Amino acid sequence: MGVVKPCNMVVPKQIVSTTPNCSKIYSSKYRTNLKVTSSWNPLGTSFSDQCSATRTARLGDKWMECQGIKNWEGLLDPLDDDLRGEILRYGDFVEAAYRSFEFDTTSPDYAKCKFSKNSVLSQCGLAGSGYKPTKNLRATCGVQLPRWVDRAPSWMSNQSSWIGYVAVCNDKEEIARLGRRDVVIAYRGTATCLEWIENLRATLACLPDDMGPTRGSMVESGFLSMYTSRANNCPSLRDLVREEIARILQMYGDESLSITITGHSLGAALATLTAYDITSTFNDAPLVTVASFGGPRVGNINFRRELEKKGSKILRIVNSDDVITKMPGFLAEEHVVSDKVAAHMARLPGWLQKRVEDTQWVYADVGKELRLSSSDSPYLSKGNLATCHDLKTYLHLVNGFVSSTCPFKATAKRVLSRTQDEKQLLFR
């Protein structure tokens, strides 16, 4: 195959504005290296002032559509520029979760947040976001460790780790621009040894009764374990989320409010579980939306039905070249196993076929999908599995995507220059 040439179309017709250069407001951010900067002011204060009135009216009037109230009908192909900006903005919050995590196994603060709660966003270049972090979130792996682990380095057996944060929009101008007060829950992806082990626990498990009427809903065992497990002096991620959402609803429940949960890889799976839990636990929950990047499959058909019934809106940003999005298990729609799945099953040993037939490995995709492809970008190396899964790749593809018939903007530039420290975090 030859090099894929970008489409010469700069922006879809629907996003052309009479305000000069407004169509470039989001794309310019990702043209050089990926320093985390404010998504809504990437070109400096003077340019932002030029365009703020146009953007405020446009997004404030359609925020519910961008949050999925109509399942993003008419917004994905071609990709609406306001929605593009929101996806990239929430991607910044996930990037901040990665940058705030201490990856250095020799550090006494390994697996903790490197910054104080109040400075997480400012330390990651999002001081002007209009959001204030209100809660640090930790997740605990429920894997039972063998005795010999006591002789291994402590970082190998670290059970509880900082996984993300909750932040609330408290800036009046940003609230006006968004059309509501927004609450963000942001999760990083896999980082520790035990989290990798949890990822491999691919069989489905029933949701616990305290997560509402489940009606046969099943989810991946490892993801459920990370969401519900506790450790000594460390509540479960579920308990931390419920406590903070209860406080926020009590404080802002009479306002126009949204809850947006975003994450990459493992964080995308946890974001989906969090949405299910919030809509099951709080009868007065506002619109709950998930923006997931490179997420694996999470649950079965019944889990998807319950998510839809409870009103959770899930937007899955998927790179068709990313193998993580095609795992775990087998994919089936409703109760019909596709011919492709049946052909795979026919080649399996008898005992394994039985487990699949018992639905322990039969998954269903959830929500609405925005499908992208690394092969559409002339700036990405082909065949690199780690690059295909990297969050920066996802943001690059979102920034460049126009439509299924014109998959990449000619104006999108290469965005994957990294420092050496960032390179070691590629496969997350």
Side-chain angles (χ1 to χ4, degrees), residues 359-401:
T359 73
Q360 292 183 2
W361 284 355
V362 178
Y363 286 73
D365 284 330
V366 299
K368 199 76 172 179
E369 180 180 272
L370 173 59
R371 181 162 289 272
L372 312 168
S373 176
S374 292
S375 60
D376 290 332
S377 171
Y379 308 110
L380 296 171
S381 58
K382 304 301 183 286
N384 188 318
L385 296 181
T387 298
C388 288
H389 186 57
D390 188 16
L391 175 61
K392 290 181 176 64
T393 297
Y394 274 86
L395 299 182
H396 169 63
L397 293 176
V398 169
N399 177 61
F401 179 76

Side-chain angles (χ1 to χ4, degrees), residues 269-297:
L270 293 175
T272 303
L273 278 177
T274 301
Y276 182 97
D277 189 33
I278 290 174
T279 53
S280 299
T281 304
F282 301 97
N283 294 327
D284 56 345
L287 181 59
V288 176
T289 302
V290 172
S292 77
F293 299 88
R297 297 166 185 157

Side-chain angles (χ1 to χ4, degrees), residues 126-369:
L126 296 178
S129 66
Y131 286 70
K132 179 181 178 181
T134 62
K135 187 82 169 180
N136 279 321
L137 300 175
R138 295 182 66 85
T140 299
C141 298
V143 177
Q144 296 300 313
L145 300 175
R147 293 180 180 178
W148 59 261
V149 169
D150 293 338
R151 300 190 295 272
S154 59
W155 59 267
M156 292 184 64
S157 58
N158 192 82
Q159 284 195 287
S160 294
S161 304
W162 186 85
I163 194 79
Y165 58 91
V166 181
V168 178
C169 185
N170 62 357
D171 180 81
K172 290 182 179 179
E173 291 185 5
E174 184 65 2
I175 291 172
R177 187 186 78 85
L178 296 174
R180 84 284 185 191
R181 185 186 297 273
D182 187 41
V183 179
V184 167
I185 302 175
Y187 294 129
R188 61 164 176 81
T190 308
T192 70
C193 283
L194 293 187
E195 289 172 3
W196 280 108
I197 293 174
E198 291 283 32
N199 287 345
L200 297 175
R201 298 172 61 190
T203 56
L204 291 161
C206 293
L207 286 169
D209 293 337
D210 61 356
M211 288 183 70
T214 58
R215 298 181 178 86
S217 296
M218 303 176 75
V219 296
E220 202 250 27
S221 302
F223 303 151
L224 181 61
S225 172
M226 285 201 62
Y227 190 66
T228 59
S229 295
R230 300 179 177 88
N232 293 335
N233 301 319
C234 184
S236 67
L237 176 58
R238 174 181 59 183
D239 293 341
L240 292 171
V241 167
R242 288 180 178 181
E243 177 186 3
E244 184 62 9
I245 293 301
R247 186 191 69 82
I248 289 170
L249 292 181
Q250 185 175 16
M251 183 173 293
Y252 304 114
D254 59 344
E255 298 183 22
S256 179
L257 193 68
S258 65
I259 297 175
T260 308
I261 314 164
T262 185
H264 171 246
S265 194
L266 167 64
L270 293 175
T272 303
L273 278 177
T274 301
Y276 182 97
D277 189 33
I278 290 174
T279 53
S280 299
T281 304
F282 301 97
N283 294 327
D284 56 345
L287 181 59
V288 176
T289 302
V290 172
S292 77
F293 299 88
R297 297 166 185 157
V298 179
N300 65 356
I301 289 280
N302 290 333
F303 176 71
R304 181 174 73 185
R305 288 177 182 152
E306 288 301 306
L307 265 176
E308 294 171 350
K309 187 183 299 184
K310 296 174 191 302
S312 296
K313 301 300 179 181
I314 316 290
L315 180 60
R316 293 182 299 110
I317 298 96
V318 172
N319 180 358
S320 60
D321 301 303
D322 180 4
V323 297
I324 300 299
T325 62
K326 304 169 186 177
M327 301 167 60
F330 298 94
L331 185 65
E333 293 298 324
E334 296 303 324
H335 293 296
V336 179
V337 179
S338 68
D339 292 340
K340 190 173 181 180
V341 172
H344 280 303
M345 287 177 59
R347 294 194 292 268
L348 297 175
W351 66 270
L352 195 51
Q353 287 187 37
K354 186 177 188 307
R355 296 203 73 176
V356 173
E357 290 165 358
D358 289 342
T359 73
Q360 292 183 2
W361 284 355
V362 178
Y363 286 73
D365 284 330
V366 299
K368 199 76 172 179
E369 180 180 272

Side-chain angles (χ1 to χ4, degrees), residues 392-422:
K392 290 181 176 64
T393 297
Y394 274 86
L395 299 182
H396 169 63
L397 293 176
V398 169
N399 177 61
F401 179 76
V402 178
S403 71
S404 56
T405 57
C406 182
F408 216 79
K409 293 181 188 178
T411 55
K413 303 296 183 182
R414 183 167 183 161
V415 299
L416 296 177
S417 58
R418 296 179 176 83
T419 65
Q420 285 301 115
D421 289 341
E422 288 176 314

Side-chain angles (χ1 to χ4, degrees), residues 102-116:
E102 181 55 81
F103 283 91
D104 184 1
T105 57
T106 65
S107 169
D109 294 325
Y110 171 65
K112 298 178 182 177
C113 183
K114 294 190 291 187
F115 313 120
S116 67

Side-chain angles (χ1 to χ4, degrees), residues 36-80:
V36 178
T37 57
S38 169
S39 297
W40 41 91
N41 187 12
L43 300 181
T45 302
S46 60
F47 187 91
S48 179
D49 290 343
Q50 260 188 348
C51 298
S52 60
T54 301
R55 287 166 47 233
T56 297
R58 194 166 60 184
L59 182 59
D61 292 342
K62 60 186 281 191
W63 73 265
M64 295 189 77
E65 284 78 5
C66 286
Q67 291 294 110
I69 193 67
K70 297 180 180 178
N71 294 315
W72 296 280
E73 182 179 347
L75 299 181
L76 298 178
D77 193 6
L79 181 59
D80 178 84

